[in-house]
Amino acid sequence: AVLLWLAAEIASRSCQTMLYADKQALETDLKVSLLAIRERELNLYTSCFRNIGTMSGVFAGFAYEGCCLASYFFPPDSSTTMRSTYLFVTTIAMDLNVAALFAATVCAALGPGLALRGPDGSMERAVEGLALEYRITFVTFCLGVFSFYVSASLYVIIMMNWLMMVLLLVLMLFSLHFTVSACKRIYKKFRLPAHMAVGGNFNVDGSIGRAVGTQM
């Protein structure tokens, strides 16, 4: 009877150990799957930041050249107010694009670093942080592009005669209108309503998590 009891006890403990091991393996596989899903979001935001950083650098370089070289070509009889306004707006365009470039570079460098080398839960923190910073960086970049348009318009007003000024301003207004219309068309085509946006995280109750900014 004692031997039977010992055998039953050993079998029971062995079964409990196997169940615990299976549970740990299941939890590990689930964590790996969730990390793989969140990694896709991480790569998406990192790629977007790199694209914004590249274009911001291009526009910042144009604006810097406008600040440094354009003043040498101003007509002597041009208005001081217009020249000052041009330099002011061009400097704002350069600053906004440099700010977007710096933010995009820092986020693209530190976000994946936190996700890869941080403690448990760092992937979630990195993705959520990149999602919020991306919105701010994108708005900053758009403002920089708009300031670049204004700067180019002021340069045309200062440098050109009346005929060329009118023709170039009409052309630039058409270009600005086409750009804004294209942005609206693309935004409507790919717009994702906030209540329909799905994140890669999962809630405690097993439901699918929502994207950043839609959680109450």
Side-chain angles (χ1 to χ4, degrees):
V2 175
L3 293 177
L4 291 176
W5 178 82
L6 288 176
E9 186 69 19
I10 293 174
S12 177
R13 292 185 178 181
S14 177
C15 183
Q16 291 179 359
T17 303
M18 293 178 61
L19 288 175
Y20 180 76
D22 291 341
K23 180 181 178 182
Q24 291 295 108
L26 181 61
E27 290 180 354
T28 302
D29 292 340
L30 179 60
K31 287 183 179 180
V32 172
S33 299
L34 292 177
L35 287 177
I37 296 174
R38 296 300 270 177
E39 185 181 6
R40 294 182 181 181
E41 291 185 280
L42 180 71
N43 294 334
L44 171 64
Y45 287 118
T46 302
S47 177
C48 291
F49 275 118
R50 288 173 180 171
N51 293 334
I52 290 180
T54 300
M55 297 309 302
S56 297
V58 172
F59 282 108
F62 288 157
Y64 178 78
E65 291 294 331
C67 290
C68 295
L69 301 179
S71 59
Y72 293 102
F73 301 99
F74 285 154
D77 58 344
S78 59
S79 172
T80 304
T81 303
M82 292 298 297
R83 286 184 291 178
S84 301
T85 304
Y86 167 80
L87 292 175
F88 178 76
V89 174
T90 307
T91 303
I92 290 178
M94 181 184 67
D95 292 342
L96 289 173
N97 283 284
V98 169
L101 169 62
F102 182 77
T105 303
V106 172
C107 289
L110 299 184
L114 173 63
L116 293 175
R117 299 192 299 266
D120 191 21
S122 296
M123 177 67 77
E124 186 83 12
R125 177 184 170 193
V127 173
E128 300 292 331
L130 289 178
L132 293 175
E133 291 298 329
Y134 174 72
R135 297 177 181 178
I136 300 174
T137 305
F138 183 75
V139 172
T140 304
F141 171 72
C142 291
L143 291 176
V145 174
F146 177 76
S147 299
F148 189 79
Y149 268 102
V150 177
S151 172
S153 301
L154 291 173
Y155 180 80
V156 169
I157 294 175
I158 295 173
M159 295 295 298
M160 303 300 172
N161 55 46
W162 285 100
L163 179 60
M164 288 298 299
M165 181 187 71
V166 172
L167 292 177
L168 290 176
L169 286 179
V170 170
L171 180 62
M172 293 181 64
L173 288 175
F174 175 78
S175 175
L176 180 60
H177 174 73
F178 178 80
T179 302
V180 173
S181 299
C183 291
K184 289 182 178 180
R185 184 184 69 253
I186 296 172
Y187 177 76
K188 291 180 179 179
K189 184 179 298 183
F190 298 104
R191 178 178 177 269
L192 179 62
H195 65 279
M196 296 178 60
V198 178
N201 57 320
F202 287 84
N203 299 322
V204 178
D205 58 357
S207 60
I208 300 176
R210 291 181 295 177
V212 179
T214 63
Q215 300 176 359
M216 299 301 293

